[in-house]
Amino acid sequence: MSISAAQVKELRDLTGAGMMDCKAALAETNGDMEAAVDWLRKKGIAKADKKAGRTAAEGLIGVDAGVREAAIVEVNSETDFVARNDAFQEIVAKVAKVALAYGKTDAVAAAKYPGSDKSVTDTIKDAVGTIGENLGFRRSDKLTVSEGAVATYIHNAVADNLGKLGVLVAIETAGDAHKASAFARQVAMHVAATNPLSLDVDALDQAAVERERAIFSDQARASGKPENVIEKMIEGRLRKFYEEVVLLKQAFVLNPDLTVEQALKAAEKEIGAPAKITAYLRFALGEGIEKEESDFAAEVAAAVKK
């Protein structure tokens, strides 16, 4: 019998199994949805059916790099234990390799997983059944330069190019690419430590700037000083704000006597040509995911009463 796309989608939503597995299950059961679910469960493919609703906020950040390009991904699991699983680490590393070719999240999710005819999304759904936890490909991005280097940095790596926090930094220069890459890696370490809000002042969210300006204005006017003095106070506090949150204005972690901008200028002597930091990306595992809070004592008490 003919199996519709709507039936396949319904079965995928019910079980979390891959598209081709769902299509095969429906074909084997003549389109009977309940029987198809059972067929998948018997095959061990639908072990994910009740896991899909659980919060996956652990996992790994992965990076991969090529010539003048690098990519970064986040793949989530429910527990840190699974993040240390070799099979899961292999998935994250391969997804990072796909991201190096396709870049943005949607394109990576739809792209074929290495060595498979299935997409990245379907491969990860299939892995839920074998690994035993809800898993999810959350995001990816990529930086490229026409000349220069894109450096990667993983903080507290659990394996090569895998960890809980990852950074990419791109430097455009006609100079020595290896030396540019070395400096870009230092900047990536800085970004990991300081988590700047933007690359430069112009890239800052103007709503955030105006909010800070309003706060500084109220604080300054409370001093009762003349308006011309108040304006200088406001501008001085804004400069301080920029020094705290703007990458190029921050004190360089490896040499706090210099700003990142000044450190870059000094590095140009080694690089052998003018250089410019054009972009950075910082992925921290689970940032922005609302984690479920559980009361372990209450869970134990409830279990005893059963």
Side-chain angles (χ1 to χ4, degrees):
M1 66 172 291
S2 175
I3 304 299
S4 70
Q7 286 175 293
V8 173
K9 182 180 185 303
E10 182 181 353
L11 186 56
R12 287 187 70 187
D13 290 343
L14 284 170
T15 65
M19 182 176 68
M20 297 308 295
D21 290 323
C22 288
K23 191 172 182 180
L26 288 164
E28 286 290 329
T29 57
N30 294 317
D32 185 318
M33 194 63 63
E34 188 172 334
V37 171
D38 289 343
W39 188 90
L40 287 167
R41 290 184 65 191
K42 287 172 186 175
K43 296 283 187 182
I45 297 170
K47 288 171 71 176
D49 56 349
K50 292 188 178 179
K51 295 185 175 76
R54 303 209 304 235
T55 302
E58 293 294 337
L60 289 170
I61 304 296
V63 298
D64 200 357
V67 179
R68 296 187 297 278
E69 61 180 359
I72 186 167
V73 303
E74 178 177 358
V75 183
N76 297 121
S77 61
E78 289 179 55
T79 66
D80 181 60
F81 178 77
V82 163
R84 296 179 181 279
N85 176 294
D86 288 344
F88 180 74
Q89 291 182 4
E90 181 181 359
I91 288 171
V92 181
K94 287 186 175 179
V95 173
K97 195 168 291 295
V98 175
L100 192 62
Y102 291 90
K104 296 291 185 180
T105 306
D106 289 346
V108 174
K112 284 187 178 180
Y113 184 80
S116 170
D117 287 333
K118 294 184 178 181
S119 69
V120 165
T121 296
D122 284 345
T123 300
I124 290 175
K125 280 188 176 181
D126 289 349
V128 174
T130 56
I131 290 177
E133 283 192 6
N134 186 24
L135 308 175
F137 166 52
R138 186 182 181 205
R139 55 178 172 161
S140 68
D141 212 336
K142 175 182 175 180
L143 294 181
T144 305
V145 294
S146 57
E147 55 180 5
V150 181
T152 68
Y153 172 67
I154 290 287
H155 185 65
N156 288 341
V158 299
D160 287 348
N161 296 324
L162 300 174
K164 304 291 185 176
L165 173 64
V167 180
L168 308 182
V169 171
I171 290 186
E172 290 270 7
T173 181
D176 188 310
H178 291 294
K179 290 180 178 176
S181 179
F183 180 74
R185 181 174 168 78
Q186 291 182 342
V187 176
M189 294 169 70
H190 170 99
V191 170
T194 64
N195 192 17
L197 295 182
S198 70
L199 173 62
D200 53 32
V201 172
D202 290 341
L204 262 180
D205 179 356
Q206 287 307 301
V209 174
E210 290 308 314
R211 187 164 57 249
E212 294 298 320
R213 185 186 291 276
I215 292 169
F216 297 153
S217 178
D218 288 345
Q219 291 173 341
R221 284 187 168 79
S223 68
K225 293 182 179 178
E227 193 64 28
N228 63 325
V229 175
I230 287 172
E231 283 304 314
K232 289 179 181 178
M233 290 172 66
I234 294 170
E235 292 307 313
R237 291 179 185 182
L238 273 175
R239 280 195 300 275
K240 182 67 176 174
F241 171 66
Y242 295 150
E243 289 167 6
E244 292 172 354
V245 304
V246 173
L247 174 58
L248 293 176
K249 301 293 183 186
Q250 289 178 326
F252 192 34
V253 167
L254 277 68
N255 183 358
D257 291 335
L258 300 176
T259 64
V260 172
E261 194 168 30
Q262 290 167 339
L264 173 63
K265 197 69 181 171
E268 288 179 347
K269 294 174 185 176
E270 283 289 314
I271 295 169
K276 181 181 181 182
I277 299 172
T278 55
Y280 72 90
L281 293 169
R282 183 185 190 273
F283 280 17
L285 182 67
E287 59 188 352
I289 297 177
E290 190 171 331
K291 298 183 182 181
E292 295 173 356
E293 298 295 335
S294 62
D295 185 335
F296 183 67
E299 286 178 12
V300 171
V304 170
K305 290 177 183 178
K306 289 182 179 178

